Amino acid sequence: MRRRMMLLSLSALVATRARAQSYPTRPVRFLVPFIPGSAPDVIARQIAERLSPALGQPVVVENRPGSGGNIGFTHGARAANDGYTLILGTNSLVINPALYARVEYDPLADFIPVHLPFAMPHLLAVSAEAGPRDLAALVALLKAEPGRHNYASGGNGSGAHLAAELLKSRAGVEAVHVPYRGAPDIINAVLGNQVLFGLPTMSTAMPLVTAGRLRAIAVTSPQRSPALPDVPTLAEHYPDAEVVSWFAVMVPAGTPAPIVARVDAAIRGLFADQAWVARMTADGTIAVNMGHEEFAGYYRGEAAKWAELVRLSGARVE
């Protein structure tokens, strides 16, 4: 009996390896839990377009938006673990279990992190006409008038909301949270002096910074952005005050390791095209190109960090 079980296990292993070696033999679905035209969708389509020839099969984007990404993430967690469903993972994948009263997936148990190609920092931005000149002036104003000033976010638990709460925690200041629907609304609220500051994603804010209408006084990435080399990072003033919105490729738990390695290598190979990387990063997007093993450790750390930021913010969605 024992020998038979060993033979069956060996046969299953050989079959799995054979499938992985021939993978893929049909189109691959790339599940995006957000609406068409959103930042995650745009990045996913850029990756899919170039991943198709790298894998030798079409990589087809399928949008499954709703509930802050939860509908798509749940669908991805329940997909077959045969390598024919890739999932675009974002910070929401690890934020939502701490933010929502109930989600139907476990971000650590139900997914394998394959590759982290890109990330996007946020800009701490004020009105160029009426806002503080720099971060020190903003913090001084908030300390002098605690609770008097508002800030805009893209909604409870959004990257902009949690980045602002991190700033408040590190700087020891108070400001009133005003949730909006997304980065364009954050910018309009700042320009209209409805709020003192906001933290939109860099790609959304850059055109107005370039036009001189917004003043960028800090960036939330670990290092200064080549797109705005004179703008300091939050971390230069407050250690560990780093927040980036990342865009990663995941697969359902149980996907064979050789398939994970195949997809990881194919995405890594995309970064050999320097012209493409330059186009992708012209708006402040960060080319990370982090492979499976390193990304797995980073992903676990992100899950813990974002859960703590949600706790600090007091945000909750029923």
Side-chain angles (χ1 to χ4, degrees), residues 22 35 48 63 82 107 129 136-137 152 154-155 175 178 191 196 217 225 252 266 303:
S22 62
I35 63 172
N63 297 90
D82 55 6
E129 294 181 357
V178 182
L191 292 176
L196 178 61
I217 59 177
S225 171

Side-chain angles (χ1 to χ4, degrees), residues 3 42 105 305:
R3 183 181 179 185
V42 170
Y105 64 86
K305 181 181 85 173

